[in-house]
Amino acid sequence: MVHRGEIVERVIRDSGIPLTKIANKMGKSRRWIYNVFEMPDLSLDLVLEFGKILHYDFSDEIPQIANRTTILNDMEVPYGVNKAEYWKTKYYSLLEEYNELLKKDSKDK
């Protein structure tokens, strides 16, 4: 049976994010990350922290997580995306939706 450390390892490797970058975000070393991969009883708090960094929901692989409340910070920009471009695109998208709603509302009157 696959344990929590192995599940986290698979998700990290599939993400393509360098281990060094993940370790730096957590304030840990790469060696620590490799040790995590060997932990069958990795704490749910650490799994959730990895999930936040990777923008990944582990609740399918680790059912105990579904019982915990997690809040991902909506202000975080996905890995590898230019922050300014991300927010500009998001702003324009919301502005276009707003304008469409205004048009629809003015036609209804």
Side-chain angles (χ1 to χ4, degrees), residues 52 55 70-78 83 86-87 90 94:
K52 183 177 177 184
H55 300 283
T70 61
I71 301 172
L72 290 178
N73 185 353
D74 290 334
M75 300 304 289
E76 290 184 24
V77 176
K83 287 183 181 184
Y86 174 83
W87 289 112
K90 188 170 185 105
L94 289 171

Side-chain angles (χ1 to χ4, degrees), residues 52-105:
K52 183 177 177 184
I53 290 169
L54 300 167
H55 300 283
Y56 188 84
D57 182 8
F58 284 96
S59 60
D60 288 338
E61 292 95 342
I62 305 171
Q64 298 91 339
I65 287 183
N67 299 332
R68 293 200 173 208
T69 304
T70 61
I71 301 172
L72 290 178
N73 185 353
D74 290 334
M75 300 304 289
E76 290 184 24
V77 176
Y79 175 76
V81 176
N82 178 305
K83 287 183 181 184
E85 190 64 32
Y86 174 83
W87 289 112
K88 183 175 107 180
T89 303
K90 188 170 185 105
Y91 171 77
Y92 285 143
S93 173
L94 289 171
L95 186 60
E96 288 172 2
E97 288 178 37
Y98 177 74
N99 286 333
E100 288 299 317
L101 288 172
L102 286 177
K103 287 178 188 176
K104 182 179 177 185
D105 188 47

Side-chain angles (χ1 to χ4, degrees), residues 6-23:
E6 291 171 336
I7 293 168
V8 169
E9 178 180 15
R10 180 188 49 78
V11 171
I12 288 175
R13 300 231 187 255
D14 290 349
S15 75
I17 301 172
L19 288 176
T20 304
K21 187 157 200 109
I22 294 169

Side-chain angles (χ1 to χ4, degrees), residues 4 14 21 23 29-32 35 39 46 48 76 78 88 105-107:
R4 290 180 189 168
D14 290 349
K21 187 157 200 109
S29 68
R30 281 183 48 155
R31 178 75 252 158
W32 180 84
N35 290 338
M39 295 178 176
L46 281 176
L48 290 171
E76 290 184 24
K88 183 175 107 180
D105 188 47
S106 66
K107 288 180 184 179

Side-chain angles (χ1 to χ4, degrees), residues 8 26 28 32 36 39 42-51 58:
V8 169
M26 296 185 81
K28 305 289 184 181
W32 180 84
V36 164
M39 295 178 176
L42 181 64
S43 78
L44 294 178
D45 290 333
L46 281 176
V47 174
L48 290 171
E49 193 172 341
F50 280 110
F58 284 96

